[in-house]
Amino acid sequence: VQLVESGGGSVQPGETLRLSCKISRLTFSSTCLGWFRQDPGKEREGVAAISSVGLVTDYVDSVKGRFTISQDGAKNTVYLQMNSLKPEDTGMYYCAAAVRCGGNWYLASEYNIWGQGTQVTVS
C-alpha cells in the first residue's frame, strides 16, 4: 500500500485548502484512513479519520465544524477539506492507514502506513 498526499500550500487566515491522499493497492487489511499534522519538535497529532466500513468519521475538537474528511472509493482517494484556516493549523500534514478505526484513532501508533506529507502554512 502506498499513500501520496497533495494539495498543501500557503494561504491566509480564513482561506481554504483541500488535501488529497491517493491510495494505491489498498487491501482489506487497511480500513481506516487518517490525517495527521506535525510541527517541528512536536508529536504528530491526529486531525481526522474515516472508516471505509460505514464511513464513520472522527475529528479533533480544534477542527470540528471547519474540516471535513471524505473518501472517493472509485478514485481510491481520501480528502481533507479545510475551511476557515487558522495560523495554528500550520504544519506538515500526513495521510496514514490503519487496520481499523477505533477509540484511539488520533494516535499515530495506531497507523502502520504513512505518506510523505504535504506542508500547510497559514499566515
Side-chain angles (χ1 to χ4, degrees), residues 33-105:
L33 296 160
W35 283 99
F36 286 74
R37 66 183 172 206
Q38 187 172 26
D39 289 330
K42 296 186 178 179
E43 292 187 357
R44 206 163 284 191
E45 172 191 32
V47 175
I50 185 167
S51 171
S52 60
V53 180
L55 297 180
V56 177
T57 58
D58 288 288
Y59 299 92
V60 67
D61 285 346
S62 61
V63 307
K64 286 180 180 178
R66 300 189 298 121
F67 290 13
T68 302
I69 188 170
S70 62
Q71 68 177 46
D72 185 333
K75 295 182 178 180
N76 279 344
T77 302
V78 174
Y79 302 99
L80 185 67
Q81 178 70 38
M82 305 188 294
N83 299 331
S84 302
L85 282 161
K86 302 176 180 181
E88 51 264 43
D89 295 321
T90 294
M92 184 69 78
Y93 281 70
Y94 296 91
C95 179
V99 172
R100 59 183 178 274
C101 290
N104 292 330
W105 67 268

Side-chain angles (χ1 to χ4, degrees), residues 99-121:
V99 172
R100 59 183 178 274
C101 290
N104 292 330
W105 67 268
Y106 53 90
L107 295 178
S109 58
E110 296 290 301
Y111 297 77
N112 58 343
I113 302 170
W114 293 85
Q116 83 289 348
T118 185
Q119 178 68 36
V120 171
T121 302

